[in-house]
Amino acid sequence: MKKNSLRILIFFVFFLASLNAQEKFTLSGTITDSKSNETLIGVNIIVPQLKSGTVTNEYGFYSLTLPSGTYEVQISYLGYKTITETLELNNDIVKNYKLVESVEALDQVVIKDDVERLNIRKPQMSVNSLSIKTIKNMPVVLGEVDVIKSITLLPGVTNAGEGSSGFNVRGGAADQNLILLDEATIFNSSHLFGFFSVFNPDAIKDLKLYKGGIPSKYGGRVSSVLDIYQKEGNSSEFHMNGGIGLISSRLLAEGPIKKDKGSFLFGGRSSYAHLFLPLFDLDNVAYFYDLNTKLSYRLNDKNSIFLSGYFGRDIFEIADSFKNEYGNAVINFRWNHLFSDKLFSNLSLIYSDYDYDLELSFVEFDWQSGIRNFNLKYDFKHYINNKIKLEYGLNSIYYRFNPGEIRPTTESSGINPFKLTDKFALENAIYLDAEHKISPKLSVRYGVRFSTFHRLGQDELNVYENNNPVIFNENLGIYQKAEPIGTRGFNKSDVIESFANFEPRLAISYQLNENSSVKASYNRMSQYLHLLSNTNSPTPLDVWAPSGEFIKPQLLDQVALGYFKTFKNNQYSLEVETFYKKIDNRIDYIDGANLIANNAIEQVILNGEARAYGLEVLLRKNEGRLKGWLAYTLSKSEQRTPGRTAIETGINNGNWYNTPFDKTHDISLTASYDINKKWSLSSNFLFQTGQPATFPNGQYEYNGIVIPSYEARNSSRLPTYHRLDLAVNYNPKPKSTKRFKGKWVFGVYNIYNRRNAANITFRENRNSGTNEAVRLAIFGIVPSVSYNFSF
């Protein structure tokens, strides 16, 4: 009996010893800038002896669980001095760090994702992040810093050309990109019809573009996610900075509400080129303005609240005959709560609105349309241990769509008021994502998103024979509108149509050695909103429409495979990725489709499919006086809409055709060179295959009218696009200790005056009577100068 008791005691002692040996504790906290107290995103916290680490989240929080012991901990962030200290971890520790900007750090910072070795190990791929300092130093048209134009210098990202709005990722349409500003959806990302972006660079803190391997917390679009966070504001002391350019200026103020606890940020930007138009006897107006706001307050060590907003407006007016206004407005209230040193949460209440107003005085009517949503999000980050991190949450979005309303502006106009039917929808989602370090070399990120979409009741919905709003005329071989045979009415609480989709996500990273790895990813995504547009890039007149009885949600399946390598202690890095994606239910339009003021849009829409595949290469030089990157993309983007029956021909005879976003070759070279402390140079070179186009291939005469005939859809192309930009940055007093600091930027856009074609139209020459092609080019060579300051 005693021997058995002794054995039990010995076993119990060894069991306790083993528990103590396995005992783990958590190091957690927040990392901020030492001067402004601004939280820093993506800071590396590394324990070299365990080859382990983590990074701070969107709010600067980190959590790292380790076995008890004494460790050397390194805190590193590009542009800041690295902190190295020894910690004895024998209980849970909350440790906040303040990083000091490196005196030797140069003003320009390159893409920071995948620079550190830790990111070689992470399963995250197809992601790029740009520092706002990099964006500010890039040469740009008219000297106006442009976030959207900057990301088109990355592999896999293009746009429809100069003066076009939006951007295209891996052969996708502009409406397939989810654009978030402090988690709020931005429906129109451009000012002045695409010449500038809506984002004030002074207010931006962090920018990430997800092209593939998209985490399950994101959904609702099938091409990409552009996630932008605004700065929180300086909670230590008051500061102002801004810039004065040829056509616009900006000013931002930030400071403490209560020192080290709360802060405010207000930023404004406006163009003023229209003020000079009267000097040329032009009674026209074209300008924009926007306002960025943010209030941040730390209630205690476990709770912080944020209130942020963006308000932007564009006004375009031609004499007394035409006036166009449009813009975004978003408000977001967020609450950060720390349940424990391992569980971080964020609750967001978001309002987003985009509206469009067109007043035509010469015909005496006003046209208004828009989209509005209310979004509830609750997200959790759960740091289970050093090998497993969970992200899970839910969100619910209520939409109200205003397709359009016409109102007479005078009693004598003779125009009757007309309102297109409002539409309503509810989109819900829950998600779970896990990042799992299986072994020192193998890491996996896997998750699932379950989304539902409910098309809610509206005043009136057309009913068609055989439930078919588009019919095929066999005699003419064309698609035509079907005539409604009746209508149905609904209450707003009724559900007209419902959809539900599982969206699995998977990303794998295998480390070949300390400097290289291979990665693979798969993601399935659903998109329930559609932008009705028959132009190559979005315009303010385009209308958003929800999925429903006749418009099905777009469904994406994408796979990607990549090789990643760093050279010479991370001075150089190479990223090579190949991808293939397929999209079901991509909408297409019948020939002659009219999308404006159409109350039965289902009569001109067919559901098709799209696919894109390609190779992306990104070679970067991250350190030294000469920095930059070379990006190359070889890709194909196609679409087809086959006939629904054996008799129907489909669109383009059911054959695959190039999408408007297909660009076979896309090369961009971005470089900067620091001559000395005062002077630096930066340049961009772009070369792209011309945009697909459909040209006439003949003509015939009918009843005295000449009618052109056209080739297959998008079977021709515009001429090749290329240009070279150059900027010179001058800091007159780099060593000045005064609060006020200034810097000049001199730029030349399109330095060799290439007349790149925005489009090509055809007309009859009045003198010779022959047909001729006319090229429209928006920009030639454009010099600029701007002055940036801070105090």
Side-chain angles (χ1 to χ4, degrees):
M1 185 71 178
K2 290 183 178 180
K3 289 184 178 180
N4 290 335
S5 299
L6 183 60
R7 288 172 181 171
I8 293 173
L9 181 60
I10 293 173
F11 175 80
F12 186 69
V13 170
F14 275 101
F15 177 72
L16 288 178
S18 65
L19 281 180
N20 184 63
Q22 296 173 2
E23 196 169 11
K24 294 184 178 181
F25 299 101
T26 300
L27 172 66
S28 63
T30 302
I31 300 180
T32 58
D33 181 282
S34 62
K35 291 183 179 179
S36 66
N37 282 329
E38 185 87 30
T39 57
L40 300 175
I41 302 173
V43 178
N44 293 289
I45 302 93
I46 302 172
V47 181
Q49 64 197 83
L50 296 181
K51 294 185 177 179
S52 179
T54 188
V55 296
T56 54
N57 68 8
E58 294 86 352
Y59 299 94
F61 176 78
Y62 75 94
S63 178
L64 187 62
T65 301
L66 304 168
S68 61
T70 301
Y71 301 102
E72 180 184 275
V73 179
Q74 293 179 356
I75 314 295
S76 63
Y77 193 53
L78 201 59
Y80 288 80
K81 292 181 178 180
T82 297
I83 295 177
T84 302
E85 69 175 13
T86 301
L87 292 177
E88 186 175 349
L89 197 64
N90 50 25
N91 60 286
D92 293 336
I93 296 177
V94 176
K95 183 77 172 178
N96 298 325
Y97 290 95
K98 292 182 178 292
L99 297 188
V100 179
E101 279 195 83
S102 174
V103 177
E104 294 79 22
L106 300 172
D107 285 340
Q108 187 166 352
V109 182
V110 298
I111 297 175
K112 58 179 180 281
D113 268 329
D114 292 330
V115 172
E116 299 290 337
R117 286 185 180 178
L118 183 64
N119 290 330
I120 289 291
R121 302 186 181 100
K122 295 190 69 173
Q124 188 179 70
M125 66 180 298
S126 305
V127 180
N128 293 117
S129 177
L130 279 177
S131 162
I132 197 62
K133 294 180 181 179
T134 300
I135 295 173
K136 284 186 175 182
N137 282 333
M138 287 181 177
V140 287
V141 63
L142 297 172
E144 181 63 29
V145 177
D146 195 313
V147 170
I148 298 298
K149 296 296 189 294
S150 299
I151 65 174
T152 61
L153 298 170
L154 299 169
V157 188
T158 62
N159 64 8
E162 292 168 333
S164 62
S165 60
F167 58 97
N168 309 108
V169 177
R170 291 184 169 176
D175 70 308
Q176 294 173 336
N177 303 315
L178 178 63
I179 303 175
L180 301 174
L181 180 64
D182 276 351
E183 301 181 4
T185 302
I186 300 294
F187 287 99
N188 188 323
S189 62
S190 299
H191 280 308
L192 297 183
F193 305 101
F195 284 101
F196 310 106
S197 79
V198 300
F199 304 109
N200 183 342
D202 290 338
I204 293 176
K205 171 182 178 179
D206 185 75
L207 176 154
K208 275 188 179 179
L209 176 67
Y210 296 84
K211 300 178 293 184
I214 299 175
S216 58
K217 70 176 180 178
Y218 298 110
R221 301 293 188 275
V222 294
S223 251
S224 75
V225 177
L226 179 60
D227 198 3
I228 300 175
Y229 280 87
Q230 294 188 112
K231 294 165 60 178
E232 295 165 8
N234 193 319
S235 64
S236 295
E237 55 186 7
F238 178 79
H239 280 280
M240 294 187 72
N241 63 280
I244 302 172
L246 293 177
I247 64 167
S248 69
S249 291
R250 61 188 192 275
L251 183 66
L252 182 139
E254 56 181 329
I257 298 175
K258 183 176 182 181
K259 188 173 177 61
D260 296 333
K261 286 185 70 70
S263 61
F264 69 85
L265 180 146
F266 294 101
R269 186 174 59 145
S270 179
S271 64
Y272 39 71
H274 66 288
L275 299 177
F276 303 101
L277 294 179
L279 299 177
F280 304 94
D281 293 327
L282 296 175
D283 190 19
N284 301 332
V285 173
Y287 69 94
F288 70 85
Y289 63 86
D290 49 40
L291 175 68
N292 296 78
T293 64
K294 195 164 187 176
L295 302 175
S296 308
Y297 197 84
R298 182 171 58 86
L299 301 174
N300 51 46
D301 290 340
K302 293 185 178 293
N303 295 279
S304 297
I305 55 174
F306 308 87
L307 181 64
S308 60
Y310 167 82
F311 310 93
R313 206 75 188 158
D314 283 74
I315 294 92
F316 183 66
E317 187 174 355
I318 299 179
D320 296 323
S321 60
F322 172 96
K323 185 177 182 180
N324 183 204
E325 290 189 37
Y326 62 93
N328 299 280
V330 299
I331 301 175
N332 184 4
F333 172 79
R334 285 175 291 168
W335 169 44
N336 285 178
H337 177 65
L338 194 62
F339 286 96
S340 70
D341 54 9
K342 292 186 177 183
L343 183 57
F344 178 93
S345 71
N346 177 68
L347 174 67
S348 298
L349 302 174
I350 306 168
Y351 169 80
S352 180
D353 177 61
Y354 169 71
D355 69 281
Y356 175 83
D357 190 347
L358 175 63
E359 183 179 335
L360 299 176
S361 301
F362 63 93
V363 289
E364 300 179 332
F365 80 81
D366 183 37
W367 163 271
Q368 292 183 338
S369 64
I371 179 174
R372 181 179 302 167
N373 73 42
F374 300 89
N375 187 358
L376 167 67
K377 290 176 79 267
Y378 203 9
D379 303 296
F380 298 84
K381 291 197 174 184
H382 200 161
Y383 302 82
I384 302 296
N385 54 45
N386 191 34
K387 293 185 177 181
I388 300 177
K389 181 178 71 174
L390 299 181
E391 294 188 35
Y392 47 88
L394 56 89
N395 80 295
S396 182
I397 308 174
Y398 175 78
Y399 295 98
R400 179 184 181 273
F401 302 84
N402 174 16
E405 180 178 5
I406 294 176
R407 294 181 296 186
T409 55
T410 63
E411 294 182 359
S412 60
S413 65
I415 295 177
N416 296 320
F418 176 66
K419 177 77 173 68
L420 299 181
T421 304
D422 283 347
K423 300 175 176 65
F424 306 90
L426 181 65
E427 182 177 354
N428 301 306
I430 57 174
Y431 72 90
L432 172 63
D433 212 46
E435 188 172 324
H436 188 180
K437 185 178 179 181
I438 297 176
S439 72
K441 290 191 174 184
L442 180 63
S443 296
V444 181
R445 183 164 191 154
Y446 47 88
V448 65
R449 182 183 183 89
F450 178 68
S451 62
T452 63
F453 188 83
H454 305 284
R455 176 73 176 273
L456 302 180
Q458 60 189 58
D459 294 339
E460 190 176 83
L461 185 68
N462 289 334
V463 178
Y464 300 91
E465 185 177 351
N466 299 323
N467 204 34
N468 188 6
V470 180
I471 59 176
F472 183 73
N473 188 318
E474 294 183 39
N475 296 325
L476 298 177
I478 60 173
Y479 288 95
Q480 296 177 325
K481 302 177 182 178
E483 290 297 325
I485 60 175
T487 60
R488 288 187 292 166
F490 299 89
N491 295 318
K492 289 184 180 180
S493 59
D494 293 338
V495 177
I496 300 175
E497 193 81 11
S498 292
F499 305 94
N501 287 287
F502 277 100
E503 305 174 24
R505 317 287 171 89
L506 175 66
I508 302 173
S509 172
Y510 183 78
Q511 189 174 355
L512 301 174
N513 53 47
E514 284 295 311
N515 300 310
S516 64
S517 64
V518 290
K519 301 182 183 183
S521 67
Y522 164 78
N523 60 281
R524 182 174 178 83
M525 302 185 76
S526 306
Q527 178 169 337
Y528 300 102
L529 305 188
H530 312 264
L531 186 65
L532 304 179
S533 173
N534 52 12
T535 60
N536 291 337
S537 67
T539 69
L541 194 57
D542 297 334
V543 175
W544 289 88
S547 296
E549 189 173 4
F550 304 111
I551 304 177
K552 305 304 178 185
Q554 299 178 67
L555 301 175
L556 162 84
D557 289 288
Q558 179 176 211
V559 293
L561 179 67
Y563 172 75
F564 303 82
K565 184 175 178 60
T566 59
F567 307 87
K568 294 187 176 180
N569 197 27
N570 296 321
Q571 289 187 41
Y572 298 87
S573 60
L574 173 67
E575 303 172 31
V576 181
E577 292 191 34
T578 182
F579 69 90
Y580 177 86
K581 64 181 185 181
K582 181 179 181 296
I583 300 174
D584 293 328
N585 301 325
R586 176 61 182 164
I587 60 174
D588 206 344
Y589 309 103
I590 66 174
D591 292 333
N594 178 25
L595 305 182
I596 300 176
N598 190 339
N599 207 25
I601 199 67
E602 68 273 6
Q603 295 177 340
V604 296
I605 286 178
L606 293 173
N607 289 310
E609 59 181 333
R611 67 185 182 191
Y613 47 92
L615 174 72
E616 298 172 356
V617 180
L618 181 61
L619 176 63
R620 301 179 301 199
K621 186 175 186 298
N622 302 310
E623 299 176 12
R625 297 173 69 179
L626 176 64
K627 297 181 291 290
W629 67 85
L630 172 65
Y632 172 68
T633 306
L634 173 67
S635 64
K636 187 70 175 175
S637 175
E638 299 175 301
Q639 182 173 345
R640 76 169 176 179
T641 306
R644 297 167 296 182
T645 67
I647 298 174
E648 294 185 6
T649 59
I651 302 295
N652 198 51
N653 292 319
N655 297 322
W656 289 99
Y657 64 91
N658 296 326
T659 68
F661 336 109
D662 176 60
K663 296 187 177 180
T664 309
H665 302 283
D666 179 13
I667 302 173
S668 59
L669 176 63
T670 302
S672 67
Y673 182 73
D674 297 291
I675 300 172
N676 51 43
K677 295 288 185 180
K678 290 187 176 183
W679 295 92
S680 66
L681 302 175
S682 57
S683 65
N684 305 324
F685 174 74
L686 283 81
F687 179 95
Q688 297 175 347
T689 300
Q691 187 173 311
T694 306
F695 295 147
N697 59 2
Q699 63 184 37
Y700 59 93
E701 188 172 318
Y702 181 75
N703 289 339
I705 301 175
V706 176
I707 301 174
S709 60
Y710 289 87
E711 61 190 5
R713 279 199 186 186
N714 290 342
S715 55
S716 294
R717 292 185 181 272
L718 298 181
T720 299
Y721 180 99
H722 56 86
R723 73 169 200 269
L724 174 65
D725 311 325
L726 180 66
V728 179
N729 301 280
Y730 174 58
N731 185 356
K733 297 179 180 180
K735 297 182 180 180
S736 174
T737 58
K738 295 182 179 179
R739 284 180 61 91
F740 186 89
K741 296 180 181 179
K743 179 180 177 182
W744 291 92
V745 180
F746 307 93
V748 181
Y749 179 89
N750 195 1
I751 197 168
Y752 52 80
N753 199 30
R754 164 76 174 178
R755 306 295 292 180
N756 288 299
N759 65 41
I760 292 179
T761 57
F762 293 83
R763 68 185 183 190
E764 180 181 341
N765 188 298
R766 294 184 178 181
N767 296 324
S768 65
T770 59
N771 294 330
E772 62 181 7
V774 180
R775 173 193 295 206
L776 171 64
I778 296 178
F779 291 121
I781 183 171
V782 182
S784 64
V785 60
S786 60
Y787 180 71
N788 300 315
F789 58 88
S790 64
F791 58 90

